[in-house]
Amino acid sequence: MDIRVQEVPFDLGEEARAFAARQSGMGAVVTFTGIVRDVAEGLEVMEIEHYPGMTERALTRIAEEARARWGLGDVLVVHRFGRLRADELIMMVATAARHRADAFQAAEFLMDYLKSRAPFWKKEHGRDGASWVAARDEDEDALDRW
Amino acid sequence: MDVLYFAWVRERIGTPKDKVDTEAATVRDLVEELRAREPRYEAAFADLSALRVAVDQELADFDAPLAGVREVAFFPPMTGG
């Protein structure tokens, strides 16, 4: 299991390649990547703040639960913080399982929990000022299905 | 005890961290002490339903006990991913 919280960019292709290459007996690898969107048109910087210490603990707990629940061979979570621009990669998860259904479901579970249970906050800086991104009810409701 | 603030809570209070000497029994009691300090604290804690709390880096609720606790953090709902 590999959990990384970092300011520097990551190489999606290299991460996915290395993750797949270190598996053994796993028939499926699923990756998900989150990208900064310029929703309101005019985004200059997406600032991501986090809670050092708690972030790593929360991500590790979520990844461990996914691993146990879907019998995963491995989990990777990379999440950036700091100042990002539109179209930059914010984060990725990768899951490895014997069969694809488990790998897909575990990746969705990781994303749902990571969105509202890992201590990250986003602030959009645009032409017309800056504002904190509000949590969405749908993201909280998404946890109910698990 | 260290009290940490993140995102707009940090901005509203104007500091990321306070060292607090407190006898507060629960998070809610601690909030009441902080609110009484200054208007900027009162403003940050005006609506507890807009806040989340972590006790020693674990999500908790406002009735969580503080005995033996070293770190409490207040922040808005999280927006990761």
Side-chain angles (χ1 to χ4, degrees):
Chain A
M1 220 167 70
D2 188 3
I3 309 293
R4 270 181 276 147
V5 182
Q6 61 188 48
E7 189 158 16
V8 294
F10 60 89
D11 182 328
L12 172 62
E14 174 53 25
E15 295 291 351
R17 189 204 59 75
F19 182 81
R22 68 172 183 252
Q23 306 309 324
S24 171
M26 294 292 120
V29 165
V30 163
T31 68
F32 170 85
T33 310
I35 302 172
V36 178
R37 280 192 307 152
D38 182 359
V39 181
E41 296 184 2
L43 180 77
E44 283 163 1
V45 169
M46 170 82 83
E47 182 185 348
I48 300 175
E49 179 172 337
H50 79 112
Y51 182 171
M54 179 174 168
T55 309
E56 290 81 356
R57 285 168 70 136
L59 293 176
T60 299
R61 165 124 12 100
I62 294 165
E64 273 171 356
E65 188 173 342
R67 185 167 66 173
R69 197 155 156 187
W70 284 279
L72 302 179
D74 200 0
V75 182
L76 166 69
V77 179
V78 183
H79 203 304
R80 294 181 62 194
F81 61 91
R83 297 169 71 82
L84 282 71
R85 294 187 177 276
D87 303 323
E88 276 193 73
L89 308 185
I90 302 179
M91 52 79 58
M92 70 172 291
V93 300
T95 56
R98 281 187 293 280
H99 303 289
R100 72 175 184 277
D102 288 335
F104 272 118
Q105 276 197 25
E108 285 216 73
F109 169 90
L110 285 169
M111 287 311 305
D112 282 349
Y113 269 82
L114 199 147
K115 275 198 108 60
S116 42
R117 291 292 183 274
F120 290 98
W121 301 275
K122 296 193 183 99
K123 188 177 192 180
E124 293 174 335
H125 297 261
R127 282 193 293 265
D128 304 323
S131 62
W132 290 97
V133 175
R136 304 185 319 154
D137 289 341
E138 302 94 284
D139 289 337
E140 189 64 32
D141 295 345
L143 301 186
D144 291 344
R145 65 176 164 148
W146 306 111
Chain B
M1 167 193 303
D2 288 332
V3 181
L4 278 55
Y5 313 107
F6 292 94
W8 60 255
V9 184
R10 168 180 55 72
E11 290 179 340
R12 210 162 285 184
I13 291 176
T15 180
K17 183 175 172 179
D18 280 318
K19 285 241 179 233
V20 175
D21 223 350
T22 180
E23 299 292 309
T26 65
V27 171
R28 202 177 296 278
D29 295 340
L30 173 65
V31 167
E32 288 312 312
E33 284 183 15
L34 293 169
R35 281 169 98 145
R37 282 185 162 195
E38 284 176 53
R40 57 197 170 104
Y41 288 90
E42 173 70 40
F45 290 107
D47 177 11
L48 290 191
S49 72
L51 294 181
R52 300 292 178 269
V53 60
V55 171
D56 282 339
Q57 302 192 353
E58 300 283 350
L59 284 175
D61 58 49
F62 284 86
D63 295 318
L66 291 183
V69 165
R70 294 196 308 215
E71 187 172 292
V72 175
F74 296 100
F75 42 79
M78 296 156 274
T79 52

